[in-house]
Amino acid sequence: MAVEKMLKFVTVGKSMPEKRSATERAHDFNEIYGEYVAAKAEEQASRCSQCGVPYCQSHCPLHNNIPDWLRLTATGRLQEAYEISQATNTFPEICGRICPQDRLCEGNCVIEQSGHGTVTIGSVEKYITDTAWEQGWVKPISPSQERPESVGIIGAGPGGLAAADMLRRAGLQVTVYDRYDRAGGLLTYGIPGFKLEKDVVMRRNQQLEAGGITFVMNCTVGDDISFAEIREKHDFVVIATGVYKTRDLAGPGSGAAGIVNAIDYLTASNRLSFGDSVPEFESGELNAEGKKVVVIGGGDTAMDCVRTAIRQGAESVKCLYRRDRANMPGSQREVQNAEEEGVEFVWLTAPKGFAGDPVTGVMVQQMRLGQPDASGRRSPEVVDGADYVEEADLVIKALGFEPEALPALWNTPELDVTRWGTVKADFRTHETNLPGVYAVGDIQRGASLVVWAIRDGREAAEDILSKLAASTGVAAE
Ligand SMILES: Cc1cc2nc3c(=O)[nH]c(=O)nc-3n(C[C@H](O)[C@H](O)[C@H](O)COP(=O)(O)OP(=O)(O)OC[C@H]3O[C@@H](n4cnc5c(N)ncnc54)[C@H](O)[C@@H]3O)c2cc1C
Ligand code: SF4
């Protein structure tokens, strides 16, 4: 159907509203965080025009069959809606909560495009799956046959767990190794609990364990067990280790006390929510209470840090970002949430150095946007003579993450990596240059999103199953 025709359909009877600003759109997306009662979910689901294109589905990395589960939800057929939703998504309750829907499914909803506010797809997905858990429709994995082949998965984040789930369903023997004490990767220790409740993640971990997946926790591959041993033990190996090397800041004073990494700060906060003892929090090092906090960076990790600092009772929270609002990488919805909570954004600013030890301030350079670079983004340039000091007694560096050097750490120089250090693998099958070894999620694609890690994990599992079917003649059920 022609796009114009479709737009006419959804706007029929109403005058075309003016194009709304990012802030106005962010208000609509805030509904995501509302508690969805059945009536609200049905009302939202019934707003879907069943347009027939459907852009929401093609812009969901998992190609979830959104129109179908919206139609079923609209008529109260929740169990069927859940069955369709979980057929393509291993963790729909998690994606429903934390996908940046404004950039994916909802941002491409034709009703949103026509200026009438998106169908809040993520919230409906969350609602359907939370209901499924409450009603006992989510069951432990129960393969119809056990198979002898085994798979070792390194990393219990969403990429590794999505692969584990599919492979175990097919009856394979699956062991997941992780250096942390709890499974979930960044779902557990990166993303704050106010965006993704920890019991939601733990419930999934328990379901996977109850389905026969073996978890070997507190096990760092490269230290506690070698990569070669893992390869020897298993028929297939999936590398799903994520990216954890923090991009750093240079400049005078950058080693001062009170300047911390975002991942350390967020991990401490998440550990506290589990009731763990966190000495760096007790000592005040990773506690924002009563402090003037400056967060450096403009991505979603920076947004998580500023919002965590507000919740810890910081005296003030400022976010320095070298470009302007329109050019920041983080979700506009997150910026909107942070602003509403009292965070001040200082656009077009970059740190030049730090005063004091412990830190007392950030030496700030003011920036302006110059000509677009090769990627089309306008590059920030320094405004001469406009430097100033921003007071701070806690500075959080949230400048992004890079992969650790796995071939060196694992004494496996034969494993191919890209020039960025990510593990090189086929983008469809996820197999690396080492036969039977796969790479998925952030360690393959660089820092990305949960929904992409899930897709990668599922694709790698599919490839393993098709290889097994070809070699044994027994297709997975
Ligand atoms: C603060 C923060 C907030 C984010 N918020 C969002 C969001 O709101 N929405 C969204 O979609 N995405 C978000 N992301 C991105 C998202 O979390 C990642 O893209 C996703 O978790 C990647 O999944 P993964 O399975 O590849 O890796 P991870 O989730 O990083 O899991 C990797 C696992 O491997 C383990 N591991 C690493 N090395 C070893 C080793 N040598 N031996 C054993 N185990 C090892 C780690 O302990 C970890 O458990 C956020 C990221 C951060 C940092
Ligand atoms: S998985 Fe993410 S992108 Fe896909 S429908 Fe759900 S919320 Fe939207």
Side-chain angles (χ1 to χ4, degrees), residues 293-425:
V293 179
V294 169
V295 176
I296 299 169
D300 287 336
T301 302
M303 299 309 106
D304 288 346
C305 291
V306 292
R307 299 184 67 199
T308 301
I310 289 276
R311 282 162 178 75
Q312 288 182 348
E315 184 187 315
S316 64
V317 182
K318 294 190 181 183
C319 182
L320 307 188
Y321 180 56
R322 64 198 179 121
R323 291 187 163 94
D324 61 5
R325 181 183 198 123
N327 286 285
M328 72 179 295
S331 145
Q332 290 296 328
R333 185 175 77 206
E334 286 291 296
V335 179
Q336 170 82 16
N337 287 330
E339 279 179 332
E340 282 174 1
E341 290 167 8
V343 174
E344 187 186 328
F345 285 85
V346 192
W347 306 113
L348 294 164
T349 53
K352 187 180 176 183
F354 302 90
D357 189 2
V359 71
T360 54
V362 182
M363 295 184 261
V364 176
Q365 290 178 315
Q366 298 207 41
M367 315 295 281
R368 65 169 161 250
L369 290 181
Q371 294 304 312
D373 60 17
S375 70
R377 268 180 109 193
R378 292 174 68 194
S379 317
E381 294 169 353
V382 175
V383 178
D384 289 329
D387 297 2
Y388 70 99
V389 175
E390 189 77 71
E391 273 186 72
D393 39 24
L394 177 62
V395 176
I396 303 174
K397 297 177 285 185
L399 297 149
F401 300 96
E402 286 169 0
E404 287 155 323
L406 290 189
L409 283 173
W410 289 356
N411 194 21
T412 313
E414 65 275 21
L415 178 66
D416 276 355
V417 291
T418 65
R419 63 192 160 109
W420 300 279
T422 48
V423 175
K424 213 174 195 173

Side-chain angles (χ1 to χ4, degrees), residues 59-62 64 66 69 89 95-96 99 101 104-105 121-122 125 451:
H59 285 84
C60 164
L62 296 164
N64 284 340
I66 299 163
W69 48 254
N89 190 353
C95 292
C99 271
Q101 288 97 359
L104 301 172
C105 53
I121 298 164
E125 187 178 31
V451 66

Side-chain angles (χ1 to χ4, degrees), residues 97-100 154-161 177-180 182-187 189-192 195 217 219-223 240-244 262-263 266 300-302 304-305 334 401 404 406 409-410 440-444 446-454:
R97 283 170 166 84
I98 54 142
C99 271
I154 311 173
L161 293 184
Y177 302 84
D178 200 289
R179 63 182 169 198
Y180 284 149
R182 295 181 178 93
L186 289 170
L187 304 177
Y189 287 129
I191 301 171
K195 276 169 64 181
M217 304 308 292
C219 175
T220 302
V221 174
D223 289 347
T241 50
V243 290
Y244 285 87
I263 195 69
L266 293 171
D300 287 336
T301 302
D304 288 346
C305 291
E334 286 291 296
F401 300 96
E404 287 155 323
L406 290 189
L409 283 173
W410 289 356
V440 302
D442 285 1
I443 192 59
Q444 186 201 1
S448 178
L449 293 172
V450 168
V451 66
W452 283 111
I454 295 172

